[in-house]
Amino acid sequence: MFGLGMQEVIVIALIILLLFGGKKIPELMKGLGKGVKSFKDGMKDVEDIKEDKEVTGEE
């Protein structure tokens, strides 16, 4: 994963845990998940618009 070893990943995870605390991490992950889902939905809408333009011959 990005050229990181297991020790580096563990150290990064511990630093994040210390900075945000155990209660904030689930909230952060929930927000991140919503953001990723929103981004994917937006990309799907863009692809649908492209397909519609190709079908109708618009530019």
Side-chain angles (χ1 to χ4, degrees):
M1 179 170 46
F2 304 112
L4 297 176
M6 191 59 157
Q7 290 177 337
E8 289 89 357
V9 172
I10 292 172
V11 169
I12 292 169
L14 288 174
I15 291 171
I16 291 172
L17 183 62
L18 288 173
L19 288 175
F20 295 108
K23 292 183 180 181
K24 286 286 185 184
I25 291 176
E27 293 174 21
L28 291 170
M29 293 298 111
K30 184 178 180 181
L32 182 63
K34 285 183 179 180
V36 169
K37 184 176 185 284
S38 175
F39 179 77
K40 285 183 179 180
D41 290 343
M43 291 301 293
K44 184 177 180 290
D45 290 343
V46 169
E47 289 176 6
D48 290 344
I49 291 170
K50 281 184 178 179
E51 289 175 5
D52 289 343
K53 285 186 177 181
E54 289 173 1
V55 170
T56 58
E58 295 178 13
E59 244 182 79

